[in-house]
Structures are given as structure tokens and as C-alpha cells.
């Protein structure tokens, strides 16, 4: 399929938009007429510009409030259409897109709508033009694709076809089975968008919160599977109304849109691309290491908290100024080299994963145009993520760290910590959707629906990305609220890992083993008094929990215990213990934790 995007999806001037669309390597553009009206670029100049950029103008849109109208509105609409056809000749496009009527004057009659669409299609035929018709989910009488497809069928004109936009289908909860019955020659355009599952009206959601496929929660893959089953192989296009996109840098948004279309096509069942496996078969198997950027002058606080938790230095890198610290199956690299000094001191510069196939990851990174490079020994692949965070991949090599570091045998006392439970990734609001796409499309992780977390200074949005086995979990957080912990962190860093949570099999043993308990985040006694009132925890257990500042949550099938350390340059450590089948992250305690961090936000 060829790819296009409507100019309304992006910020900037019309000239800036089409240049960004060309740079992102789309094949075509849908021209949103208001963008032309607001521009001083004449239609002929735009046509020449698009030709020079090798972009096809696939359609002019939207033509509103046309069908099922009484006189004198119908006659006026046909006159309006003649003007649009003249404009289309000047622009060099052959398709006009009509959305279902929202006017108070429209008539609730399918045959009348079909009659009016036949008339404009007949007029379009004289110009060798095509009319595309779609249902708006907030259309006055026509708001489902079943209705719009039936109207096109009744009109029965060769120059009239259907526009299917999955947003308008999914926002109403409609299913896709009737798409399979549409003849492929009756498709004019297929548009794809994603959206979060917010509880609001279709119009408000559709005009402010749409996003690219892979960034929301709609069944976009199932939709395109249904479309492809008809044999349709025309344009796949974005029409995204998003406050976030229209206030963001134009080129990164345009590129993310292109990435989302590549991913979406690769995820559909009947893709004929021979490299489809690069989008579906590469897998992250486990988290291998976390690497900190620091310096000899700044490392003291980081080393102090690592050693207080129980980490022991076990290795020195063979060729650079970096050391390996280990505890349980957790590997932390402390890197003091000049190559990582662009990062804030004592912040995470890379995370390392074991992958199933590095070659597939490299091909996929290349196709999606993420920056990548091989390491010196060709066994390490590095991909640059949001905020310059490096994602490193080793292919099924459990001995990689022992090959990179001179390992010295050390006695490491067991204090219950087993492995990394999850990493908290905080990003600026402008990166939230982009990073969601990175995790879902590139890393192949499943991404949950966003939830709201209460910070004393506002609302933080969070969603969890995880692999199939659940041994890699990355909560992704963002906020628009000034003064929140997330906002303060991202204001300084733009994006980065803000939280490292260790899994323990005995959290009380772990808490007791902390050599400097002044590092532990204090929790107010009010919390434990309330916990006593609403749970059946034994008094002795509650006493221990208060002593070690341990928080608690439970579900029907499990329990969750966790405690935190004070912040280090905005980043904080957590220790958790899961009992039973508990699979969440103690979100119910987030407000308690965030308030405690605000009180005790000091540099350790």
C-alpha cells in the first residue's frame, strides 16, 4: 500500500507541512482545505511544490454538509461543488472527500442521501473526478459505516466510493465484519487512527485526542486485516486531529506517523512484504543490565546507595573507565568515560537486553529509521531512543558481561533481592505518544491503557509496556502538570529512566539489610493507621511495615509489598515483593509515595 497523511495532522504552515511529509517519505498528501485557505501559496504553486517533492495530492477534503439536503441548499451545494472541481484542476488532484452531514437542515432519509451523492458523482464524472463518502461518528443521521456503505450502494455510481476511517468505527464500538463484504473497487480511501479509551463524546475525542496507530488502544490491526481481505491495495492514510501533534515539532511527528503505518502493515496477517518477520519475530528475552553515566567527582552518592542496598563491585571494564556492580541477578554498570558525559551525573544512559535475533532488530530499526549502530565486536547492537537513552541488545549471550569486564570473585551476601522487577520511564508530554510507539512498534512490547496517578501537584499519566513473558516491565509516565515529580525530572532531562524497582523474595530481610536506613523514604504513620482499619493484616506485621516504611496493596489473587529510597538526582530506587498472582505496581500508593518524595526531595 502507498502511505499518505492529511495536512491537518501536523503543526506549522502548509509549506512546512508538505516538506516534513516528503522528508518522512510518504507517497501522498490529503489536503485539508483550511490549510490552503490560510496559506499564501497559490494552488498552482502547491501543485508544483508537491511534484518537486515527489508527493501525490491524493484528495481534497473535507466537503461538508452536502447530502440529504432540501432546496435551496442542494442547488447551492452543487454550485459549491463546481467551485471545488475548478480548484481540484488547479491543484492536480482527482478526489473530493465528503463526510456525512451534521447540518440541522439535513433529512433523515437514505434514498435522499443516495440521490444527492449520485448527482455530485455525475457532475464529478464530467471532470474524471471521484467522490469519496464517509460517515462521521457524530453525523446527524448517518454516523456508522454500515449507513454510508449502504448509501453508496444505493447511489450506484462508478465515480462514487467509500472512505473508511477506523476511528469513526471504533469510537462507537462497531465491529468490522461487514467490511469484508465491500467490493474493493468501491473503496476511495482508507484512513487509520488510534485513540485512548477516554470516557467522552466521540466528537471531542475525535477532534482533540486521536493519535497514530500503535499509540492508543483501538483494534487498528484487526481493522486493516478486514480491509486487506477485500483486496484493497490503495492508499493508507492518516487523518489525525490531535492537540498534542498540532503543538509539537512537525518533523518528528510526521516521521512517527510514517513509522506507525509501516508497523501497522507489517502486523497485518496478509502482508506480502518478505521482511515482515522483522516486525513480529524479534523478541526481548530479559533485561541484562542498567548503565549509569557518572564521573569520578560525582559518583560518590551513587556508589553509596548501591552499596547500602547490597551491591558489590565485581568487575572492571577491559577497555574503559567503567565498573560492574552485582546483586542477585541484577547487573549495574557505572560508566565514568567521556562518551557519556552529555548525560546528567548519576543518570541512566543505557539499558541492555538479551534479544532473540539482533539482525532482525537491526533491520527493523533501519526500516523505522531509528538510529542504530553495531558495537566494536559486532555482538552488541545499540539503538537510540527518546532522550538519547541507548537500548543495547545482545543476542542470546549470557557471557557478554564476563567478556567485557575483568570479573573478580566476590562474596555477595543474599538479602532477598533477585532481579529487576520494573523500570519507570518518565518522558515529557511531547514524547509520551512517540515513546509508546517505540515500545510497541520497535521493541514489540504489549502496552497497557493509560491510567491516572495523583501527584500532590497534579495528574501523571502512566501506561505499562511489557514483553510476552512479563519479565520485562517498563511503566511509561508523563504529565502536563507543573511541579509534579515527573515534570521536574523531565524538565531537567527531557526523558529518562526515573525509577528502578528490584524484586525481593523477602522484603523484610531486604529492608533490614540496608546499611544506611536514612536513605529509605519515610512514610507517615497516618498511612499505617488507615491500613490497619481497612485490612486484616496482623498487628505485628503492620508494626514491621511501619518500622521499615513498607507500603501495601492487594488484589483478589495476590499481595504487594514495597518501599522506596530517597531520590538521587531525580531518580529513585524501589524494592518490591509480589505474593500470589499480583501483577500491578502498587498504584494505589502512588499519591502517598509522591507526597513523601516531595517532602524529602534532597540530594543524597
Amino acid at each position: 500500500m502507498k502511505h499518505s497523511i492529511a495536512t491537518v495532522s501536523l503543526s506549522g504552515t502548509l509549506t512546512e507541512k508538505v516538506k516534513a511529509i516528503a522528508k518522512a517519505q510518504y507517497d501522498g498528501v490529503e489536503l485539508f482545505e483550511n490549510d490552503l485557505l490560510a496559506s499564501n501559496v497559490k494552488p498552482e504553486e502547491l501543485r508544483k511544490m508537491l511534484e518537486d517533492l515527489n508527493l501525490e495530492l491524493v484528495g481534497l477534503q473535507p466537503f461538508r454538509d452536502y447530502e440529504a439536503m432540501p432546496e435551496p441548499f442542494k442547488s447551492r451545494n452543487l454550485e459549491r461543488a463546481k467551485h471545488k472541481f475548478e480548484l481540484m484542476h488547479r491543484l492536480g488532484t482527482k478526489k473530493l472527500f465528503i463526510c456525512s452531514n451534521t447540518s440541522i437542515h439535513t433529512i433523515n432519509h437514505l434514498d435522499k442521501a443516495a440521490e444527492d451523492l449520485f448527482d455530485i458523482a455525475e457532475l464529478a464524472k464530467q471532470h474524471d473526478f471521484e467522490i469519496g463518502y464517509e460517515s462521521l461518528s457524530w453525523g446527524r443521521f448517518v454516523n456508522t459505516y454500515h449507513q454510508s456503505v449502504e448509501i453508496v450502494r444505493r447511489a450506484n455510481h462508478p465515480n462514487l466510493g467509500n472512505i473508511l476511517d477506523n476511528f469513526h468505527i471504533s469510537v462507537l464500538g462497531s465491529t468490522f465484519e461487514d467490511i469484508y463484504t465491500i467490493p474493493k473497487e468501491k473503496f476511495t480511501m482508507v484512513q487509520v487512527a488510534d485513540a485512548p479509551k477516554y470516557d467522552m463524546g466521540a466528537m471531542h475525542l475525535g477532534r482533540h485526542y486521536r493519535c497514530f496507530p500503535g499509540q492508543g488502544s483501538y483494534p487498528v490491526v484487526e481493522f486493516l486485516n478486514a480491509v486487506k481481505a477485500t483486496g484493497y491495495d490503495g492508499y493508507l492514510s492518516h487523518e489525525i486531529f490531535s492537540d498534542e501533534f498540532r503543538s509539537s515539532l512537525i518533523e518528528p511527528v510526521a516521521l512517527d506517523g510514517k513509522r506507525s503505518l509501516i508497523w501497522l502493515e507489517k502486523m497485518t496477517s496478509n502482508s506480502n512484504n518478505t521482511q515482515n518477520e522483522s516486525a513480529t519475530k524479534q523478541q526481548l528475552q530479559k533485561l541484562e543490565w542498567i548503565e549509569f553515566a557518572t564521573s569520578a567527582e560525582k559518583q560518590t552518592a551513587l556508589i553509596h546507595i548501591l552499596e547500602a542496598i547490597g551491591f558489590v563491585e565485581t568487575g572492571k571494564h577491559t577497555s574503559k573507565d567503567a565498573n560492574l556492580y552485582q546483586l542477585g541477578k541484577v547487573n549495574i554498570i557505572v560508566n565514568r568515560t567521556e562518551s557519556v558525559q552529555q548525560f546528567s551525573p548519576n543518570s541512566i544512559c543505557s539499558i541492555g537486553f538479551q534479544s532473540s535475533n539482533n539482525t532482525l532488530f537491526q533491520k527493523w530499526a533501519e526500516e523505522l529509521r531509528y538510529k542504530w549502530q553495531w558495537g566494536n565486536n559486532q555482538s552488541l547492537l545499540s539503538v537510540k531512543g527518546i532522550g538519547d537513552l541507548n537500548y543495547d541488545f545482545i543476542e542470546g549471550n549470557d557471557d557478554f558481561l564476563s567478556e567485557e569486564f575483568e570479573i573478580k570473585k566476590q562474596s555477595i551476601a543474599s538479602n532477598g533481592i533477585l532481579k529487576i522487577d520494573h523500570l519507570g520511564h518518565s518522558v515529557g508530554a511531547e514524547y509520551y505518544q512517540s515513546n509508546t510507539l517505540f515500545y510497541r512498534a520497535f521493541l514489540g512490547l504489549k502496552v497497557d491503557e493509560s491510567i491516572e496517578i495523583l501527584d500532590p501537584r497534579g495528574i501523571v499519566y502512566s501506561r505499562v509496556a511489557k514483553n510476552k513473558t512479563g519479565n520485562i516491565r517498563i511503566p511509561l509516565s508523563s504529565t502536563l502538570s507543573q511541579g509534579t515529580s515527573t515534570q521536574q525530572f523531565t524538565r531537567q532531562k527531557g526523558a529518562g529512566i526515573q525509577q528502578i524497582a528490584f524484586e525481593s523474595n523477602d522484603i523484610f530481610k531486604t529492608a533490614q539489610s540496608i546499611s544506611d536506613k536514612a536513605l529509605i523514604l519515610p512514610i507517615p504513620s497516618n498511612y499505617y493507621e488507615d491500613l490497619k482499619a481497612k485490612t486484616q493484616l496482623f498487628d505485628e506485621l503492620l508494626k514491621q511495615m511501619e518500622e521499615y516504611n513498607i507500603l501495601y496493596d492487594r488484589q483478589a489473587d495476590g499481595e504487594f509489598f514495597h518501599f522506596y529510597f530517597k531520590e538521587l538526582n531525580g531518580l529513585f530506587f524501589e524494592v518490591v515483593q509480589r505474593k500470589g498472582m499480583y501483577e500491578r505496581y502498587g498504584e494505589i500508593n502512588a499519591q502517598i509515595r509522591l507526597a513523601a518524595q516531595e517532602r524529602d526531595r534532597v540530594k543524597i
Side-chain angles (χ1 to χ4, degrees):
M1 288 181 172
K2 291 184 177 181
H3 297 161
S4 67
I5 184 170
T7 55
V8 73
S9 307
L10 303 172
S11 64
T13 66
L14 181 56
T15 300
E16 290 170 337
K17 292 182 183 193
V18 297
K19 287 182 177 179
I21 291 168
K23 187 174 182 179
Q25 300 179 10
Y26 289 84
D27 304 291
V29 178
E30 288 184 49
L31 177 60
F32 193 72
E33 191 174 17
N34 282 357
D35 284 321
L36 179 64
L37 299 179
S39 174
N40 61 359
V41 177
K42 296 184 181 302
E44 294 81 6
E45 294 172 338
L46 178 60
R47 179 176 183 170
K48 179 64 166 58
M49 186 188 305
L50 293 173
E51 289 173 354
D52 292 344
L53 292 170
N54 198 30
L55 288 171
E56 178 184 356
L57 184 52
V58 297
L60 176 66
Q61 57 111 332
F63 194 66
R64 300 185 186 275
D65 296 338
Y66 169 74
E67 84 287 2
M69 292 288 270
E71 292 292 357
F73 299 103
K74 176 178 177 177
S75 296
R76 291 174 185 169
N77 279 338
L78 286 174
E79 288 301 314
R80 185 161 56 99
K82 291 176 183 178
H83 172 75
K84 299 306 177 189
F85 291 157
E86 291 174 6
L87 176 60
M88 290 165 64
H89 280 296
R90 297 172 66 191
L91 289 166
T93 187
K94 289 182 171 292
K95 295 180 179 179
L96 179 67
F97 300 160
I98 299 178
C99 51
S100 61
N101 210 318
T102 62
S103 169
I104 60 172
H105 302 291
T106 187
I107 301 167
N108 186 12
H109 201 289
L110 296 186
D111 284 334
K112 171 61 175 168
E115 174 190 316
D116 289 354
L117 286 169
F118 180 93
D119 290 342
I120 195 172
E122 188 68 15
L123 185 61
K125 183 179 179 180
Q126 300 173 20
H127 299 265
D128 193 28
F129 289 164
E130 183 178 353
I131 303 297
Y133 179 62
E134 73 166 322
S135 59
L136 292 180
S137 49
W138 53 84
R140 183 167 174 83
F141 297 120
V142 177
N143 51 38
T144 72
Y145 81 97
H146 304 91
Q147 294 169 300
S148 60
V149 168
E150 175 60 18
I151 289 170
V152 169
R153 187 193 68 80
R154 293 188 189 189
N156 190 27
H157 196 288
N159 291 65
L160 176 66
N162 297 286
I163 300 173
L164 287 192
D165 184 331
N166 74 297
F167 172 82
H168 293 296
I169 299 173
S170 293
V171 75
L172 297 179
S174 299
T175 56
F176 306 135
E177 64 267 16
D178 288 338
I179 293 176
Y180 293 88
T181 67
I182 303 173
K184 68 175 183 179
E185 63 272 11
K186 297 307 292 183
F187 282 90
T188 300
M189 175 64 75
V190 172
Q191 297 169 333
V192 287
D194 213 332
K197 290 184 177 178
Y198 291 161
D199 186 13
M200 63 177 63
M203 179 184 289
H204 190 74
L205 180 65
R207 288 185 171 171
H208 298 279
Y209 295 100
R210 284 188 235 190
C211 53
F212 294 131
Q215 295 179 331
S217 302
Y218 280 6
V220 290
V221 173
E222 293 82 351
F223 168 74
L224 190 55
N225 274 332
V227 169
K228 282 190 171 184
T230 69
Y232 174 78
D233 60 356
Y235 268 98
L236 189 63
S237 188
H238 287 310
E239 184 190 44
I240 311 293
F241 292 80
S242 166
D243 293 349
E244 180 179 329
F245 290 176
R246 288 181 292 220
S247 61
S248 300
L249 294 175
I250 183 171
E251 288 187 1
V253 172
L255 180 55
D256 271 347
K258 178 65 175 178
R259 287 167 172 157
S260 74
L261 292 175
I262 294 171
W263 167 78
L264 180 59
E265 280 211 73
K266 293 295 181 67
M267 293 302 293
T268 52
S269 59
N270 58 340
S271 173
N272 58 9
N273 192 311
T274 57
Q275 291 188 357
N276 190 47
E277 63 178 1
S278 65
T280 57
K281 292 188 177 180
Q282 86 281 12
Q283 294 181 13
L284 298 181
Q285 296 177 329
K286 62 179 179 177
L287 179 65
E288 284 284 353
W289 69 79
I290 299 167
E291 183 172 357
F292 278 87
T294 188
S295 64
E297 297 77 21
K298 300 288 187 178
Q299 67 176 349
T300 303
L302 173 62
I303 301 302
H304 176 62
I305 193 169
L306 289 177
E307 291 180 343
I309 292 171
F311 282 88
V312 172
E313 181 188 337
T314 59
K316 179 176 176 58
H317 200 275
T318 58
S319 63
K320 62 185 181 183
D321 188 8
N323 296 81
L324 177 65
Y325 289 77
Q326 295 179 303
L327 176 62
K329 293 184 178 181
V330 182
N331 301 306
I332 291 181
I333 299 170
V334 178
N335 187 344
R336 294 172 293 273
T337 62
E338 190 173 321
S339 63
V340 298
Q341 294 309 305
Q342 75 270 25
F343 292 90
S344 299
N346 300 328
S347 64
I348 294 172
C349 59
S350 74
I351 47 180
F353 297 99
Q354 188 177 108
S355 82
S356 59
N357 191 319
N358 268 9
T359 301
L360 292 182
F361 268 111
Q362 176 261 314
K363 289 180 179 178
W364 195 219
E366 190 173 69
E367 189 164 359
L368 293 176
R369 292 162 62 190
Y370 290 115
K371 295 179 181 179
W372 62 274
Q373 65 179 15
W374 289 105
N376 294 331
N377 57 8
Q378 291 295 303
S379 62
L380 178 70
L381 174 71
S382 292
V383 177
K384 188 76 69 176
I386 306 298
D388 287 334
L389 180 65
N390 287 309
Y391 294 79
D392 295 333
F393 306 90
I394 55 171
E395 186 177 333
N397 184 358
D398 289 323
D399 298 322
F400 180 82
L401 290 176
S402 62
E403 295 169 359
E404 291 285 303
F405 290 85
E406 296 175 0
I407 303 296
K408 50 187 177 182
K409 290 187 177 181
Q410 294 282 347
S411 174
I412 305 176
S414 173
N415 68 352
I417 289 180
L418 305 173
K419 60 180 183 178
I420 297 292
D421 184 85
H422 61 274
L423 299 176
H425 192 173
S426 295
V427 299
E430 69 273 27
Y431 298 128
Y432 191 54
Q433 301 285 21
S434 186
N435 226 58
T436 298
L437 185 66
F438 181 87
Y439 281 136
R440 180 175 278 147
F442 177 62
L443 294 184
L445 303 178
K446 178 182 180 294
V447 182
D448 295 343
E449 180 63 38
S450 289
I451 62 171
E452 295 181 357
I453 294 174
L454 291 177
D455 183 285
R457 303 295 177 182
I459 300 294
V460 175
Y461 295 93
S462 181
R463 64 195 318 173
V464 178
K466 58 185 177 183
N467 66 345
K468 291 181 179 179
T469 61
N471 67 350
I472 296 173
R473 300 183 180 99
I474 308 177
L476 177 66
S477 299
S478 183
T479 185
L480 291 171
S481 300
Q482 300 297 309
T484 62
S485 172
T486 301
Q487 189 272 336
Q488 291 186 48
F489 180 83
T490 57
R491 182 177 57 190
Q492 177 185 0
K493 304 173 185 297
I497 301 299
Q498 190 180 9
Q499 175 191 21
I500 302 174
F502 305 114
E503 180 185 345
S504 172
N505 62 6
D506 187 342
I507 197 167
F508 295 96
K509 180 180 180 181
T510 303
Q512 188 176 29
S513 74
I514 304 303
S515 61
D516 184 357
K517 293 184 174 55
L519 296 172
I520 296 176
L521 183 70
I523 302 300
S525 59
N526 294 336
Y527 172 81
Y528 297 97
E529 291 179 8
D530 180 68
L531 204 59
K532 181 177 181 179
K534 68 183 182 183
T535 69
Q536 296 179 332
L537 297 175
F538 293 115
D539 289 345
E540 185 60 32
L541 179 60
L542 284 168
K543 183 179 178 181
Q544 276 189 294
M545 290 169 62
E546 185 170 5
E547 178 183 355
Y548 296 124
N549 297 285
I550 294 173
L551 302 161
Y552 176 77
D553 187 27
R554 66 182 177 191
Q555 295 176 328
D557 49 1
E559 295 177 293
F560 188 66
F561 297 84
H562 57 138
F563 69 89
Y564 295 87
F565 292 84
K566 296 177 181 179
E567 293 182 12
L568 171 69
N569 193 27
L571 178 144
F572 58 93
F573 296 91
E574 178 187 12
V575 177
V576 311
Q577 182 177 3
R578 300 174 183 273
K579 290 189 175 183
M581 299 298 292
Y582 186 95
E583 289 296 326
R584 293 305 307 170
Y585 304 87
E587 293 94 340
I588 193 172
N589 296 317
Q591 188 174 9
I592 306 300
R593 181 259 299 177
L594 289 163
Q597 285 177 327
E598 183 175 24
R599 283 191 299 270
D600 292 278
R601 190 165 290 132
V602 295
K603 291 189 176 182
I604 300 172

